[in-house]
């Protein structure tokens, strides 16, 4: 029996419509392609071991932003990065390291590497020391080449003494990624940058633990390096348990960000900032807090979430005390 002409035409239209719909649907991102992960890990190895500043500089994008361990520690662009790091590296005779913790996330356009690195260093003046450093690097593939666009280095701080915990033991941890760590691109890069700025303006001024926790996730494949925690916090329960005391101690907050840099492709976002917070404490006092924050973020269901984050306080190199106020 021959097909009726209108049925054949309807079938053809249905197939064509489905094909067009599939072609217009955003492609799911390739999460942690082995080649991209290997390339990012290779860059991280050089960053952690190379003492020649000129060999390091090609790894940074022209407009890269770096938050260094020590005050004032804000470098913007290659000229400032070179000027900031060259004296530090030039004073070192030799350095060895291990990396007990390294967690990488990438969609092929952006990537982040969160790590804890244990150093043993001998200086040219004969002094030697050990130092365990936390790093959150954000990278972008520019003209087919991975480069660091944001870098955040820190040491954990003893909350009682505000002294840097230079040899805090590293409990190397790993991440169990969710079934779909990243969703397809769902907005434009420019709109994404606007949304991430709003995320920081509102989320950074959160009052109460419940509101704060809506900015992490959405799953438990979430890591936080906080300034007052010697170990990485993984999963929303660990983060909530850690932040509960401070979030319950104030009932008002204002936020200014002297530095803010952001980039995104509409699915994966990165931001780095410095913050000046004024907290209205429940006992009636006011508390001023200066901190630094960087985030690797994902857009899920039209909302941004942080899934790799570092919060830190710069260290005075002379006293090895944290600068926590402004």
């Amino acid at each position: 029996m021959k097909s009726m002409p209108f049925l054949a035409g309807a079938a053809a239209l249905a197939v064509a419509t489905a094909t067009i719909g599939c072609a217009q649907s955003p492609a799911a991102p390739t999460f942690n392609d082995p080649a991209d992960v290997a390339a990012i890990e290779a860059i991280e190895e050089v960053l952690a071991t190379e003492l020649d500043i000129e060999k390091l500089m090609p790894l940074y994008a022209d407009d890269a932003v770096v938050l260094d361990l020590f005050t004032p520690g804000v470098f913007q662009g290659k000229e400032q990065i070179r000027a900031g790091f060259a004296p530090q590296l030039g004073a070192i005779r030799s350095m060895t390291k291990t990396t007990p913790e390294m967690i990488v996330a990438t969609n092929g356009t952006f990537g982040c590497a969160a790590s804890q690195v244990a150093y043993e260093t001998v200086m040219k003046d004969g002094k030697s020391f050990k130092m365990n450093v936390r790093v959150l690097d954000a990278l972008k593939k520019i003209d087919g080449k991975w480069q660091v666009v944001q870098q955040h280095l820190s040491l954990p701080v003893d909350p009682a003494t505000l002294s840097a915990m230079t040899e805090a033991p590293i409990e190397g941890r790993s991440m169990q990624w969710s079934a779909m760590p990243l969703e397809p691109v769902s907005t434009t890069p420019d709109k994404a940058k606007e949304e991430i700025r709003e995320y920081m303006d509102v989320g950074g001024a959160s009052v109460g633990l419940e509101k704060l926790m809506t900015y992490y996730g959405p799953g438990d494949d979430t890591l936080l390096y906080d300034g007052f925690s010697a170990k990485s916090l993984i999963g929303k329960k660990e983060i909530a348990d850690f932040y509960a005391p401070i979030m319950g101690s104030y009932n008002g907050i204002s936020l200014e960000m002297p530095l803010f840099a952001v980039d995104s492709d509409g699915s994966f976002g990165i931001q780095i900032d410095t913050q000046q917070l004024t907290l209205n404490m429940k006992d009636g006092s006011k508390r001023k807090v200066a901190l630094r924050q960087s985030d690797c973020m994902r857009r899920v269901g039209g909302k941004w979430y942080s899934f790799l984050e570092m919060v830190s306080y710069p260290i005075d190199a002379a006293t090895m005390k944290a600068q926590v106020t402004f």
Side-chain angles (χ1 to χ4, degrees):
M1 179 179 177
K2 294 183 179 179
S3 299
M4 297 294 288
F6 75 91
L7 290 177
L13 178 61
V15 171
T17 302
T19 302
I20 292 171
C22 290
Q24 292 178 342
S25 297
T30 300
F31 180 73
N32 277 5
D33 179 273
D36 287 322
V37 172
I40 291 171
E41 289 179 342
I43 289 172
E44 292 299 305
E45 181 68 16
V46 176
L47 290 170
T49 58
E50 181 58 62
L51 297 178
D52 185 340
I53 187 64
E54 296 308 323
K55 293 181 179 178
L56 289 173
M57 293 316 301
L59 301 179
Y60 291 92
D62 290 342
D63 59 352
V65 178
V66 174
L67 298 179
D68 190 26
L69 294 172
F70 301 109
T71 59
V74 178
F75 311 145
Q76 296 178 264
K78 282 191 171 184
E79 183 177 344
Q80 291 186 13
I81 294 170
R82 179 185 282 106
F85 281 149
Q88 297 182 45
L89 298 175
I92 297 174
R93 176 182 298 164
S94 64
M95 183 173 63
T96 60
K97 65 90 181 175
T98 60
T99 307
E101 182 170 280
M102 169 76 76
I103 295 171
V104 174
T106 176
N107 68 348
T109 300
F110 287 93
C112 286
S115 61
Q116 296 197 72
V117 186
Y119 287 100
E120 294 189 17
T121 303
V122 179
M123 308 300 287
K124 289 180 178 177
D125 64 6
K127 295 178 182 178
S128 62
F129 61 89
K130 296 180 180 180
M131 184 176 289
N132 297 340
V133 179
R134 305 176 302 178
V135 185
L136 181 56
D137 285 338
L139 302 95
K140 183 177 183 180
K141 191 176 283 186
I142 302 171
D143 296 329
K145 180 181 178 182
W146 285 107
Q147 290 187 300
V148 176
V149 288
Q150 297 176 7
Q151 182 173 68
H152 190 169
L153 310 172
S154 74
L155 296 168
V157 174
D158 184 326
T161 66
L162 299 184
S163 296
M165 296 187 284
T166 57
E167 295 185 52
I170 298 175
E171 179 186 337
R173 308 185 71 186
S174 60
M175 185 81 82
Q176 183 65 46
W177 295 107
S178 60
M180 189 176 180
L182 297 173
E183 288 192 355
V185 170
S186 55
T187 190
T188 66
D190 286 343
K191 181 64 174 176
K193 294 174 187 178
E194 293 176 4
E195 291 175 347
I196 292 171
R197 176 62 197 229
E198 182 180 4
Y199 168 108
M200 290 305 306
D201 286 336
V202 177
S206 294
V207 176
L209 181 64
E210 183 176 355
K211 181 178 180 181
L212 176 70
M213 293 307 301
T214 64
Y215 292 92
Y216 292 101
D220 273 340
D221 48 346
T222 302
L223 174 144
L224 168 67
Y225 293 137
D226 185 80
F228 292 130
S229 176
K231 75 167 189 174
S232 54
L233 305 171
I234 294 181
K236 289 185 289 186
K237 184 180 186 307
E238 288 188 15
I239 295 172
D241 288 348
F242 179 81
Y243 276 141
I246 181 62
M247 295 304 295
S249 66
Y250 63 88
N251 52 23
I253 182 173
S254 62
L255 165 68
E256 294 184 5
M257 288 188 288
L259 168 70
F260 175 79
V262 61
D263 205 352
S264 177
D265 61 1
S267 169
F268 198 123
I270 57 173
Q271 81 83 32
I272 192 166
D273 66 65
T274 60
Q275 299 179 24
Q276 295 178 346
L277 303 168
T278 301
L279 305 179
N280 299 322
M281 308 303 290
K282 289 184 175 179
D283 64 6
S285 64
K286 288 187 180 293
R287 181 180 173 190
K288 293 184 178 294
V289 179
L291 58 82
R292 312 177 305 172
Q293 181 174 327
S294 60
D295 295 83
C296 299
M297 308 167 74
R298 54 190 167 199
R299 196 172 194 267
V300 178
K303 179 181 177 181
W304 288 99
Y305 296 87
S306 178
F307 69 101
L308 297 175
E309 179 178 284
M310 184 185 292
V311 176
S312 75
Y313 305 92
I315 305 299
D316 182 285
T319 64
M320 293 304 289
K321 297 278 190 178
Q323 178 180 302
V324 301
T325 63
F326 65 97

